[in-house]
Amino acid sequence: MLSKTPVITDMKVIPCAGYDSMLLSLSGAHSPLFTRNIVVITDNSGNTGVGEVHGGDDITKILESYVPLVVGRTIGEYKSIVSCIRNNGYVPGGNDGQGLQKLDLSNLKFVVHAETAVECALLDLMGKFLGLPVCELLGDGQQRDKVVILGYLFYCQDHTKTDMKYLDESDSDDKWFSLRRRTAMTTDRIVENAYAMKEKYGFKDFKLKGGVLNGWEEMETVRALKKNFPDARINIDPNGSWTLEQAIRYCQGMNGILTYIEDPCGEERGFSGREIMREFKNATGLQVATNMIATDWRQFYHAASQTAVDIVLADPHFWTMSGSVRMGQVLNDWGLTWGSHSNNHFDISLAIFAHSAAAAPGNITALDTHYVYQDGQYLTKNPMEIRNGVIEIRKEPGLGIEVDMDAVMKANELYRTLPYGDRNDGVAMQYLIPGWKFDHKKPCMVR
């Protein structure tokens, strides 16, 4: 009789919250708390697998609808399980197909692949069963022992202008922790944060989140970063908030300063974001990255056919882990570059990024992560660490981390203090600019 892999006996979906800084982007200001959904799956061998994905009420409902489709199956069926839940789970209404091309956060649930959290937990279990790290189960197996991470820099507003309950760490003995929730609206403060990040994590490369101030001011900050870190790869992400004309003007003379630019402009005047990005490349000669105009295979086909992008930031939470690595294989074969975008997340997602990147072939670009703003809020007993600008892939089986259920349930208690689980970056902006409304072509502080 053929032996079988262990049978799944339980799947829990646990919405969680953690503390955030008043970080700015095109969509507004981050609230004091961010939300995520944690999936914990157990099998009859006694092993536990974990996964993490974006927060939001609809994503919680999607995950909960998967439970009867997962429990009772064997972990060896993980590929067919993921295919089954993708096609048979709850589907929220209102998808207009725009995805993130206008950075409308209400569309995030249509871009996020909730099944990634289940896939990850199943891969964690399968890795433990086989005695292999998860990255060995993806694509063509483990491609590297270390994954390079960049320092993700944000403009940050003064949270004392609100009555919202932001965490204050200004008295921390850790220099970065003491800075990460403080006001950072000037070039000097952004550079100060970069030095503190480098001291703590060893980052060699940096990314600035744009779409906040006038583009000239943001480019001044980019130039200052390059001056202070001449060997660093520097990029900026204005989330498509600039017009094509503005983007070309802002980027004049930036060759040799910007290594690449992420989504400088997007759809306008009847032309798609892919067409506009191609025109930007023609005009500037700069390499372009995206996590907005190629967030699924159909969009990628059109982006690639128009040679509109050079780097696809294939966040595994948007593509699934296997899909992200498959994108990496295609990009490598076609002479393009793989990278990964991030969102606010806990340490479980940090492991998801690390294992996906470890399995992506070719010369991948440094990964961005918000994790430095959440560092210390651990949901595992042995979180992965960023040291010397890299994450080292552990040899332990599965994800190489152990879930801390006490910490998860405390994060769930914090989540339950919220009136809703969906992200809304417009709430805090009302304290800064009364009546503020999102506009995908206006940087958030330019009104």
Side-chain angles (χ1 to χ4, degrees), residues 248-289:
I248 292 170
R249 284 193 284 114
Y250 295 153
C251 291
Q252 286 177 347
M254 297 301 287
N255 296 73
I257 298 174
L258 281 172
T259 303
Y260 64 86
I261 185 165
E262 180 181 338
D263 291 306
C265 39
E267 61 85 32
E268 61 180 70
R269 294 158 60 179
F271 295 95
S272 73
R274 288 168 281 277
E275 292 168 320
I276 294 297
M277 291 265 272
R278 175 67 260 185
E279 291 189 32
F280 172 83
K281 284 185 61 181
N282 287 342
T284 65
L286 284 168
Q287 283 207 320
V288 170

Side-chain angles (χ1 to χ4, degrees), residues 175-247:
K175 185 175 182 180
W176 165 241
F177 284 10
S178 73
L179 290 174
R180 65 181 178 175
R181 312 209 189 281
R182 285 175 47 196
T183 309
M185 294 301 297
T186 65
T187 292
D188 287 346
R189 279 288 292 113
I190 295 293
V191 170
E192 183 182 7
N193 281 358
Y195 274 110
M197 280 187 187
K198 184 178 179 67
E199 180 181 335
K200 183 172 180 65
Y201 301 103
F203 293 132
K204 297 175 176 63
D205 306 311
F206 295 97
K207 167 181 171 177
L208 175 67
K209 174 61 81 174
V212 175
L213 305 175
N214 179 285
W216 296 116
E217 295 178 72
E218 294 181 350
M219 283 307 190
E220 176 188 334
T221 301
V222 168
R223 289 187 177 92
L225 287 168
K226 189 63 176 179
K227 182 179 180 180
N228 281 270
F229 305 97
D231 297 326
R233 291 166 55 87
I234 308 290
N235 74 84
I236 184 173
D237 173 20
N239 284 123
S241 62
W242 302 338
T243 66
L244 174 61
E245 181 183 359
Q246 288 173 331

Side-chain angles (χ1 to χ4, degrees), residues 106-338:
S106 66
N107 281 336
L108 190 62
K109 61 192 173 189
F110 304 126
V111 180
V112 170
H113 280 245
E115 69 267 24
T116 300
V118 178
E119 175 200 38
C120 178
L122 293 174
L123 284 167
D124 192 15
L125 287 170
M126 195 64 183
K128 290 173 180 175
F129 176 74
L130 296 173
L132 295 171
V134 163
C135 55
E136 279 288 3
L137 307 179
L138 294 167
D140 294 321
Q142 186 168 353
Q143 305 291 307
R144 56 186 57 81
D145 298 323
K146 298 177 181 179
V147 175
V148 178
I149 309 294
L150 58 73
Y152 202 169
L153 298 160
F154 282 78
Y155 293 102
C156 186
Q157 263 291 355
D158 179 2
H159 65 80
T160 65
K161 293 179 179 178
T162 79
D163 58 7
M164 302 174 79
K165 296 180 180 179
Y166 287 92
L167 202 62
D168 186 346
E169 297 178 305
S170 56
D171 60 351
S172 173
D173 294 333
D174 183 298
K175 185 175 182 180
W176 165 241
F177 284 10
S178 73
L179 290 174
R180 65 181 178 175
R181 312 209 189 281
R182 285 175 47 196
T183 309
M185 294 301 297
T186 65
T187 292
D188 287 346
R189 279 288 292 113
I190 295 293
V191 170
E192 183 182 7
N193 281 358
Y195 274 110
M197 280 187 187
K198 184 178 179 67
E199 180 181 335
K200 183 172 180 65
Y201 301 103
F203 293 132
K204 297 175 176 63
D205 306 311
F206 295 97
K207 167 181 171 177
L208 175 67
K209 174 61 81 174
V212 175
L213 305 175
N214 179 285
W216 296 116
E217 295 178 72
E218 294 181 350
M219 283 307 190
E220 176 188 334
T221 301
V222 168
R223 289 187 177 92
L225 287 168
K226 189 63 176 179
K227 182 179 180 180
N228 281 270
F229 305 97
D231 297 326
R233 291 166 55 87
I234 308 290
N235 74 84
I236 184 173
D237 173 20
N239 284 123
S241 62
W242 302 338
T243 66
L244 174 61
E245 181 183 359
Q246 288 173 331
I248 292 170
R249 284 193 284 114
Y250 295 153
C251 291
Q252 286 177 347
M254 297 301 287
N255 296 73
I257 298 174
L258 281 172
T259 303
Y260 64 86
I261 185 165
E262 180 181 338
D263 291 306
C265 39
E267 61 85 32
E268 61 180 70
R269 294 158 60 179
F271 295 95
S272 73
R274 288 168 281 277
E275 292 168 320
I276 294 297
M277 291 265 272
R278 175 67 260 185
E279 291 189 32
F280 172 83
K281 284 185 61 181
N282 287 342
T284 65
L286 284 168
Q287 283 207 320
V288 170
T290 188
N291 81 300
M292 294 177 68
I293 63 167
T295 61
D296 61 35
W297 289 102
R298 184 178 177 187
Q299 290 179 12
F300 171 69
Y301 164 76
H302 290 286
S305 65
Q306 296 183 58
T307 60
V309 297
D310 305 286
I311 303 168
V312 177
L313 303 174
D315 183 339
H317 302 84
F318 289 1
W319 292 83
T320 73
M321 294 178 74
S322 56
S324 177
V325 174
R326 181 158 65 98
M327 172 58 76
Q329 292 172 317
V330 172
L331 293 169
N332 186 52
D333 288 345
W334 291 3
L336 300 172
T337 302
W338 182 94

Side-chain angles (χ1 to χ4, degrees), residues 56-71:
D57 297 335
D58 275 313
I59 295 175
T60 303
K61 290 179 185 178
I62 294 169
L63 289 168
E64 289 173 341
S65 75
Y66 294 161
V67 173
L69 304 173
V70 173
V71 175

Side-chain angles (χ1 to χ4, degrees), residues 265-447:
C265 39
E267 61 85 32
E268 61 180 70
R269 294 158 60 179
F271 295 95
S272 73
R274 288 168 281 277
E275 292 168 320
I276 294 297
M277 291 265 272
R278 175 67 260 185
E279 291 189 32
F280 172 83
K281 284 185 61 181
N282 287 342
T284 65
L286 284 168
Q287 283 207 320
V288 170
T290 188
N291 81 300
M292 294 177 68
I293 63 167
T295 61
D296 61 35
W297 289 102
R298 184 178 177 187
Q299 290 179 12
F300 171 69
Y301 164 76
H302 290 286
S305 65
Q306 296 183 58
T307 60
V309 297
D310 305 286
I311 303 168
V312 177
L313 303 174
D315 183 339
H317 302 84
F318 289 1
W319 292 83
T320 73
M321 294 178 74
S322 56
S324 177
V325 174
R326 181 158 65 98
M327 172 58 76
Q329 292 172 317
V330 172
L331 293 169
N332 186 52
D333 288 345
W334 291 3
L336 300 172
T337 302
W338 182 94
S340 184
H341 164 267
S342 94
N343 209 303
N344 299 92
H345 60 86
F346 290 107
D347 40 328
I348 298 169
S349 276
L350 190 67
I352 291 176
F353 288 123
H355 280 276
S356 299
N363 184 26
I364 68 174
T365 194
L367 277 68
D368 67 66
T369 175
H370 290 60
Y371 182 69
V372 295
Y373 300 92
Q374 276 73 61
D375 190 3
Q377 302 179 66
Y378 307 130
L379 299 187
T380 68
K381 298 177 181 178
N382 55 340
M384 286 185 162
E385 297 179 317
I386 306 170
R387 292 181 177 176
N388 300 316
V390 302
I391 295 175
E392 293 193 13
I393 304 301
R394 296 168 177 169
K395 298 186 184 300
E396 288 90 348
L399 290 172
I401 55 177
E402 180 184 355
V403 67
D404 183 339
M405 287 305 299
D406 288 339
V408 170
M409 296 318 297
K410 285 181 180 177
N412 175 254
E413 289 177 16
L414 186 60
Y415 172 86
R416 295 187 184 284
T417 66
L418 292 168
Y420 52 84
D422 291 314
R423 179 177 168 183
N424 185 345
D425 289 8
V427 176
M429 287 300 299
Q430 305 305 316
Y431 292 88
L432 305 175
I433 303 174
W436 183 92
K437 292 183 179 180
F438 170 75
D439 185 327
H440 75 285
K441 283 300 179 185
K442 282 187 179 179
C444 71
M445 294 298 297
V446 179
R447 289 295 186 273

Side-chain angles (χ1 to χ4, degrees), residues 75-118:
I75 65 172
E77 300 173 272
Y78 68 93
K79 289 186 178 181
S80 60
I81 292 173
V82 173
S83 177
C84 173
I85 61 179
R86 178 186 296 126
N87 297 319
N88 295 286
Y90 166 74
V91 178
N95 188 353
D96 65 0
Q98 281 290 326
L100 290 181
Q101 291 168 53
K102 296 181 181 179
L103 201 69
D104 185 346
L105 292 179
S106 66
N107 281 336
L108 190 62
K109 61 192 173 189
F110 304 126
V111 180
V112 170
H113 280 245
E115 69 267 24
T116 300
V118 178

